[in-house]
mmCIF file of all heavy atoms in Angstrom:
data_model
loop_
_atom_site.group_PDB
_atom_site.id
_atom_site.type_symbol
_atom_site.label_atom_id
_atom_site.label_comp_id
_atom_site.label_asym_id
_atom_site.label_seq_id
_atom_site.Cartn_x
_atom_site.Cartn_y
_atom_site.Cartn_z
ATOM 1 N N MET A 913 113.912 92.907 130.674
ATOM 2 C CA MET A 913 113.885 92.428 132.051
ATOM 3 C C MET A 913 115.253 92.576 132.710
ATOM 4 O O MET A 913 115.357 92.919 133.884
ATOM 5 C CB MET A 913 113.429 90.961 132.101
ATOM 6 C CG MET A 913 113.289 90.410 133.519
ATOM 7 S SD MET A 913 112.960 88.627 133.561
ATOM 8 C CE MET A 913 111.360 88.541 132.799
ATOM 9 N N GLN A 914 116.316 92.316 131.938
ATOM 10 C CA GLN A 914 117.660 92.377 132.496
ATOM 11 C C GLN A 914 118.008 93.793 132.944
ATOM 12 O O GLN A 914 118.633 93.994 133.980
ATOM 13 C CB GLN A 914 118.674 91.879 131.470
ATOM 14 C CG GLN A 914 120.103 91.859 131.992
ATOM 15 C CD GLN A 914 121.027 91.126 131.057
ATOM 16 O OE1 GLN A 914 120.635 90.162 130.412
ATOM 17 N NE2 GLN A 914 122.250 91.565 130.970
ATOM 18 N N ASP A 915 117.582 94.792 132.147
ATOM 19 C CA ASP A 915 117.869 96.176 132.510
ATOM 20 C C ASP A 915 117.124 96.576 133.775
ATOM 21 O O ASP A 915 117.606 97.401 134.553
ATOM 22 C CB ASP A 915 117.480 97.108 131.360
ATOM 23 C CG ASP A 915 118.346 96.894 130.128
ATOM 24 O OD1 ASP A 915 119.476 96.391 130.298
ATOM 25 O OD2 ASP A 915 117.890 97.204 129.018
ATOM 26 N N PHE A 916 115.939 96.017 133.976
ATOM 27 C CA PHE A 916 115.104 96.401 135.114
ATOM 28 C C PHE A 916 115.526 95.688 136.398
ATOM 29 O O PHE A 916 115.609 96.285 137.468
ATOM 30 C CB PHE A 916 113.640 96.092 134.796
ATOM 31 C CG PHE A 916 112.691 96.484 135.895
ATOM 32 C CD1 PHE A 916 112.413 97.812 136.154
ATOM 33 C CD2 PHE A 916 112.077 95.507 136.677
ATOM 34 C CE1 PHE A 916 111.544 98.171 137.172
ATOM 35 C CE2 PHE A 916 111.216 95.855 137.694
ATOM 36 C CZ PHE A 916 110.942 97.201 137.941
ATOM 37 N N LEU A 917 115.811 94.378 136.308
ATOM 38 C CA LEU A 917 116.097 93.582 137.496
ATOM 39 C C LEU A 917 117.586 93.355 137.746
ATOM 40 O O LEU A 917 117.982 93.019 138.852
ATOM 41 C CB LEU A 917 115.404 92.217 137.373
ATOM 42 C CG LEU A 917 113.873 92.222 137.347
ATOM 43 C CD1 LEU A 917 113.362 90.811 137.084
ATOM 44 C CD2 LEU A 917 113.306 92.756 138.654
ATOM 45 N N GLY A 918 118.407 93.504 136.721
ATOM 46 C CA GLY A 918 119.806 93.132 136.841
ATOM 47 C C GLY A 918 120.000 91.734 136.283
ATOM 48 O O GLY A 918 119.059 90.932 136.245
ATOM 49 N N PRO A 919 121.215 91.397 135.834
ATOM 50 C CA PRO A 919 121.439 90.118 135.147
ATOM 51 C C PRO A 919 121.140 88.888 135.993
ATOM 52 O O PRO A 919 120.559 87.915 135.502
ATOM 53 C CB PRO A 919 122.915 90.176 134.747
ATOM 54 C CG PRO A 919 123.510 91.246 135.609
ATOM 55 C CD PRO A 919 122.422 92.218 135.886
ATOM 56 N N SER A 920 121.519 88.894 137.261
ATOM 57 C CA SER A 920 121.314 87.711 138.104
ATOM 58 C C SER A 920 119.835 87.456 138.372
ATOM 59 O O SER A 920 119.345 86.331 138.245
ATOM 60 C CB SER A 920 122.071 87.861 139.435
ATOM 61 O OG SER A 920 123.458 87.900 139.213
ATOM 62 N N TRP A 921 119.109 88.517 138.738
ATOM 63 C CA TRP A 921 117.678 88.365 139.001
ATOM 64 C C TRP A 921 116.924 88.017 137.726
ATOM 65 O O TRP A 921 115.985 87.217 137.747
ATOM 66 C CB TRP A 921 117.105 89.643 139.619
ATOM 67 C CG TRP A 921 117.300 89.716 141.097
ATOM 68 C CD1 TRP A 921 118.198 90.486 141.784
ATOM 69 C CD2 TRP A 921 116.587 88.956 142.083
ATOM 70 N NE1 TRP A 921 118.096 90.262 143.136
ATOM 71 C CE2 TRP A 921 117.116 89.327 143.349
ATOM 72 C CE3 TRP A 921 115.575 88.006 142.034
ATOM 73 C CZ2 TRP A 921 116.644 88.789 144.544
ATOM 74 C CZ3 TRP A 921 115.107 87.457 143.214
ATOM 75 C CH2 TRP A 921 115.638 87.845 144.449
ATOM 76 N N SER A 922 117.333 88.612 136.619
ATOM 77 C CA SER A 922 116.692 88.304 135.341
ATOM 78 C C SER A 922 116.879 86.833 134.992
ATOM 79 O O SER A 922 115.940 86.149 134.562
ATOM 80 C CB SER A 922 117.278 89.192 134.241
ATOM 81 O OG SER A 922 116.747 88.849 132.978
ATOM 82 N N PHE A 923 118.100 86.328 135.183
ATOM 83 C CA PHE A 923 118.385 84.924 134.896
ATOM 84 C C PHE A 923 117.583 84.011 135.823
ATOM 85 O O PHE A 923 117.043 82.984 135.392
ATOM 86 C CB PHE A 923 119.888 84.661 135.058
ATOM 87 C CG PHE A 923 120.317 83.294 134.639
ATOM 88 C CD1 PHE A 923 120.387 82.946 133.301
ATOM 89 C CD2 PHE A 923 120.651 82.330 135.589
ATOM 90 C CE1 PHE A 923 120.776 81.668 132.915
ATOM 91 C CE2 PHE A 923 121.041 81.060 135.214
ATOM 92 C CZ PHE A 923 121.107 80.733 133.871
ATOM 93 N N PHE A 924 117.477 84.396 137.096
ATOM 94 C CA PHE A 924 116.717 83.597 138.060
ATOM 95 C C PHE A 924 115.243 83.538 137.688
ATOM 96 O O PHE A 924 114.624 82.463 137.706
ATOM 97 C CB PHE A 924 116.873 84.189 139.460
ATOM 98 C CG PHE A 924 116.010 83.527 140.501
ATOM 99 C CD1 PHE A 924 116.234 82.221 140.894
ATOM 100 C CD2 PHE A 924 114.955 84.218 141.086
ATOM 101 C CE1 PHE A 924 115.433 81.605 141.843
ATOM 102 C CE2 PHE A 924 114.155 83.623 142.036
ATOM 103 C CZ PHE A 924 114.387 82.316 142.420
ATOM 104 N N ILE A 925 114.661 84.667 137.327
ATOM 105 C CA ILE A 925 113.243 84.704 136.951
ATOM 106 C C ILE A 925 113.007 83.873 135.693
ATOM 107 O O ILE A 925 112.027 83.120 135.600
ATOM 108 C CB ILE A 925 112.771 86.155 136.729
ATOM 109 C CG1 ILE A 925 112.852 86.952 138.041
ATOM 110 C CG2 ILE A 925 111.342 86.173 136.183
ATOM 111 C CD1 ILE A 925 111.981 86.416 139.150
ATOM 112 N N THR A 926 113.915 83.985 134.718
ATOM 113 C CA THR A 926 113.783 83.183 133.496
ATOM 114 C C THR A 926 113.837 81.695 133.810
ATOM 115 O O THR A 926 113.022 80.907 133.299
ATOM 116 C CB THR A 926 114.908 83.541 132.501
ATOM 117 O OG1 THR A 926 114.789 84.913 132.132
ATOM 118 C CG2 THR A 926 114.818 82.674 131.246
ATOM 119 N N ALA A 927 114.796 81.290 134.655
ATOM 120 C CA ALA A 927 114.915 79.882 135.036
ATOM 121 C C ALA A 927 113.674 79.417 135.789
ATOM 122 O O ALA A 927 113.149 78.323 135.529
ATOM 123 C CB ALA A 927 116.164 79.675 135.890
ATOM 124 N N LEU A 928 113.196 80.250 136.697
ATOM 125 C CA LEU A 928 112.039 79.879 137.520
ATOM 126 C C LEU A 928 110.799 79.683 136.656
ATOM 127 O O LEU A 928 110.083 78.677 136.782
ATOM 128 C CB LEU A 928 111.796 80.965 138.572
ATOM 129 C CG LEU A 928 110.981 80.569 139.805
ATOM 130 C CD1 LEU A 928 111.737 79.538 140.641
ATOM 131 C CD2 LEU A 928 110.679 81.815 140.650
ATOM 132 N N ILE A 929 110.538 80.631 135.773
ATOM 133 C CA ILE A 929 109.341 80.540 134.927
ATOM 134 C C ILE A 929 109.451 79.361 133.974
ATOM 135 O O ILE A 929 108.491 78.588 133.794
ATOM 136 C CB ILE A 929 109.136 81.851 134.155
ATOM 137 C CG1 ILE A 929 108.795 82.989 135.121
ATOM 138 C CG2 ILE A 929 108.010 81.691 133.126
ATOM 139 C CD1 ILE A 929 108.700 84.344 134.458
ATOM 140 N N SER A 930 110.620 79.202 133.347
ATOM 141 C CA SER A 930 110.801 78.102 132.392
ATOM 142 C C SER A 930 110.542 76.755 133.058
ATOM 143 O O SER A 930 109.811 75.910 132.519
ATOM 144 C CB SER A 930 112.219 78.127 131.818
ATOM 145 O OG SER A 930 112.503 79.345 131.193
ATOM 146 N N LEU A 931 111.132 76.553 134.225
ATOM 147 C CA LEU A 931 111.005 75.261 134.897
ATOM 148 C C LEU A 931 109.598 75.058 135.451
ATOM 149 O O LEU A 931 109.086 73.932 135.445
ATOM 150 C CB LEU A 931 112.046 75.151 136.010
ATOM 151 C CG LEU A 931 113.485 75.039 135.497
ATOM 152 C CD1 LEU A 931 114.483 75.244 136.627
ATOM 153 C CD2 LEU A 931 113.707 73.679 134.840
ATOM 154 N N PHE A 932 108.971 76.131 135.917
ATOM 155 C CA PHE A 932 107.596 75.994 136.414
ATOM 156 C C PHE A 932 106.671 75.551 135.296
ATOM 157 O O PHE A 932 105.829 74.660 135.478
ATOM 158 C CB PHE A 932 107.107 77.319 137.002
ATOM 159 C CG PHE A 932 105.696 77.241 137.525
ATOM 160 C CD1 PHE A 932 105.441 76.705 138.777
ATOM 161 C CD2 PHE A 932 104.631 77.676 136.757
ATOM 162 C CE1 PHE A 932 104.143 76.613 139.259
ATOM 163 C CE2 PHE A 932 103.327 77.591 137.222
ATOM 164 C CZ PHE A 932 103.084 77.062 138.490
ATOM 165 N N VAL A 933 106.820 76.173 134.129
ATOM 166 C CA VAL A 933 105.959 75.825 133.001
ATOM 167 C C VAL A 933 106.202 74.390 132.543
ATOM 168 O O VAL A 933 105.263 73.639 132.264
ATOM 169 C CB VAL A 933 106.182 76.819 131.840
ATOM 170 C CG1 VAL A 933 105.431 76.369 130.600
ATOM 171 C CG2 VAL A 933 105.721 78.217 132.242
ATOM 172 N N ILE A 934 107.477 73.997 132.459
ATOM 173 C CA ILE A 934 107.808 72.660 131.969
ATOM 174 C C ILE A 934 107.413 71.580 132.974
ATOM 175 O O ILE A 934 106.782 70.577 132.630
ATOM 176 C CB ILE A 934 109.313 72.558 131.654
ATOM 177 C CG1 ILE A 934 109.640 73.338 130.376
ATOM 178 C CG2 ILE A 934 109.740 71.112 131.489
ATOM 179 C CD1 ILE A 934 109.122 72.687 129.121
ATOM 180 N N ILE A 935 107.786 71.759 134.233
ATOM 181 C CA ILE A 935 107.476 70.739 135.251
ATOM 182 C C ILE A 935 105.996 70.709 135.554
ATOM 183 O O ILE A 935 105.429 69.649 135.828
ATOM 184 C CB ILE A 935 108.319 70.993 136.515
ATOM 185 C CG1 ILE A 935 109.809 70.785 136.185
ATOM 186 C CG2 ILE A 935 107.901 70.062 137.654
ATOM 187 C CD1 ILE A 935 110.759 71.111 137.327
ATOM 188 N N ASP A 936 105.338 71.868 135.515
ATOM 189 C CA ASP A 936 103.885 71.958 135.581
ATOM 190 C C ASP A 936 103.303 71.264 136.815
ATOM 191 O O ASP A 936 102.630 70.233 136.701
ATOM 192 C CB ASP A 936 103.290 71.358 134.304
ATOM 193 C CG ASP A 936 101.826 71.705 134.125
ATOM 194 O OD1 ASP A 936 101.296 72.491 134.924
ATOM 195 O OD2 ASP A 936 101.210 71.162 133.187
ATOM 196 N N PRO A 937 103.539 71.791 138.015
ATOM 197 C CA PRO A 937 103.048 71.139 139.241
ATOM 198 C C PRO A 937 101.539 70.888 139.244
ATOM 199 O O PRO A 937 101.090 69.812 139.623
ATOM 200 C CB PRO A 937 103.443 72.130 140.343
ATOM 201 C CG PRO A 937 104.596 72.884 139.779
ATOM 202 C CD PRO A 937 104.321 73.015 138.321
ATOM 203 N N THR A 938 100.743 71.867 138.787
ATOM 204 C CA THR A 938 99.287 71.685 138.804
ATOM 205 C C THR A 938 98.837 70.663 137.766
ATOM 206 O O THR A 938 97.928 69.876 138.021
ATOM 207 C CB THR A 938 98.581 73.028 138.547
ATOM 208 O OG1 THR A 938 99.059 73.609 137.326
ATOM 209 C CG2 THR A 938 98.846 74.000 139.694
ATOM 210 N N GLY A 939 99.486 70.674 136.608
ATOM 211 C CA GLY A 939 99.110 69.718 135.566
ATOM 212 C C GLY A 939 99.396 68.283 135.944
ATOM 213 O O GLY A 939 98.765 67.357 135.426
ATOM 214 N N ASN A 940 100.346 68.075 136.867
ATOM 215 C CA ASN A 940 100.692 66.713 137.288
ATOM 216 C C ASN A 940 99.856 66.219 138.465
ATOM 217 O O ASN A 940 100.064 65.096 138.933
ATOM 218 C CB ASN A 940 102.181 66.644 137.648
ATOM 219 C CG ASN A 940 103.056 66.491 136.420
ATOM 220 O OD1 ASN A 940 102.856 65.595 135.613
ATOM 221 N ND2 ASN A 940 104.020 67.380 136.261
ATOM 222 N N LEU A 941 98.925 67.042 138.936
ATOM 223 C CA LEU A 941 98.065 66.594 140.035
ATOM 224 C C LEU A 941 97.225 65.390 139.641
ATOM 225 O O LEU A 941 97.050 64.464 140.439
ATOM 226 C CB LEU A 941 97.141 67.740 140.477
ATOM 227 C CG LEU A 941 97.789 68.874 141.258
ATOM 228 C CD1 LEU A 941 96.764 69.967 141.522
ATOM 229 C CD2 LEU A 941 98.358 68.361 142.571
ATOM 230 N N PHE A 942 96.703 65.387 138.419
ATOM 231 C CA PHE A 942 95.822 64.307 137.997
ATOM 232 C C PHE A 942 96.529 62.947 137.963
ATOM 233 O O PHE A 942 96.049 61.983 138.562
ATOM 234 C CB PHE A 942 95.201 64.626 136.634
ATOM 235 C CG PHE A 942 94.294 65.816 136.671
ATOM 236 C CD1 PHE A 942 94.643 66.974 136.017
ATOM 237 C CD2 PHE A 942 93.099 65.782 137.363
ATOM 238 C CE1 PHE A 942 93.811 68.090 136.045
ATOM 239 C CE2 PHE A 942 92.266 66.880 137.401
ATOM 240 C CZ PHE A 942 92.616 68.044 136.742
ATOM 241 N N PRO A 943 97.679 62.834 137.271
ATOM 242 C CA PRO A 943 98.374 61.537 137.300
ATOM 243 C C PRO A 943 98.830 61.154 138.691
ATOM 244 O O PRO A 943 98.798 59.973 139.057
ATOM 245 C CB PRO A 943 99.555 61.725 136.349
ATOM 246 C CG PRO A 943 99.671 63.183 136.124
ATOM 247 C CD PRO A 943 98.321 63.764 136.310
ATOM 248 N N TYR A 944 99.257 62.127 139.514
ATOM 249 C CA TYR A 944 99.690 61.808 140.882
ATOM 250 C C TYR A 944 98.543 61.213 141.684
ATOM 251 O O TYR A 944 98.703 60.172 142.337
ATOM 252 C CB TYR A 944 100.225 63.058 141.575
ATOM 253 C CG TYR A 944 100.425 62.860 143.069
ATOM 254 C CD1 TYR A 944 101.502 62.121 143.551
ATOM 255 C CD2 TYR A 944 99.508 63.376 143.985
ATOM 256 C CE1 TYR A 944 101.671 61.903 144.910
ATOM 257 C CE2 TYR A 944 99.676 63.170 145.349
ATOM 258 C CZ TYR A 944 100.746 62.437 145.806
ATOM 259 O OH TYR A 944 100.900 62.219 147.157
ATOM 260 N N LEU A 945 97.383 61.846 141.639
ATOM 261 C CA LEU A 945 96.238 61.350 142.406
ATOM 262 C C LEU A 945 95.828 59.953 141.939
ATOM 263 O O LEU A 945 95.425 59.117 142.745
ATOM 264 C CB LEU A 945 95.059 62.316 142.278
ATOM 265 C CG LEU A 945 95.191 63.623 143.068
ATOM 266 C CD1 LEU A 945 94.047 64.569 142.709
ATOM 267 C CD2 LEU A 945 95.200 63.342 144.566
ATOM 268 N N THR A 946 95.938 59.714 140.642
ATOM 269 C CA THR A 946 95.596 58.386 140.122
ATOM 270 C C THR A 946 96.577 57.339 140.619
ATOM 271 O O THR A 946 96.191 56.250 141.044
ATOM 272 C CB THR A 946 95.603 58.406 138.582
ATOM 273 O OG1 THR A 946 94.641 59.348 138.125
ATOM 274 C CG2 THR A 946 95.257 57.029 138.029
#
Side-chain angles (χ1 to χ4, degrees):
M913 184 187 295
Q914 182 169 326
D915 294 336
F916 181 72
L917 295 174
S920 295
W921 276 105
S922 176
F923 187 74
F924 174 67
I925 296 298
T926 298
L928 201 66
I929 293 175
S930 302
L931 291 167
F932 180 81
V933 173
I934 287 289
I935 295 175
D936 194 6
T938 55
N940 279 307
L941 287 176
F942 295 112
Y944 168 75
L945 286 172
T946 300

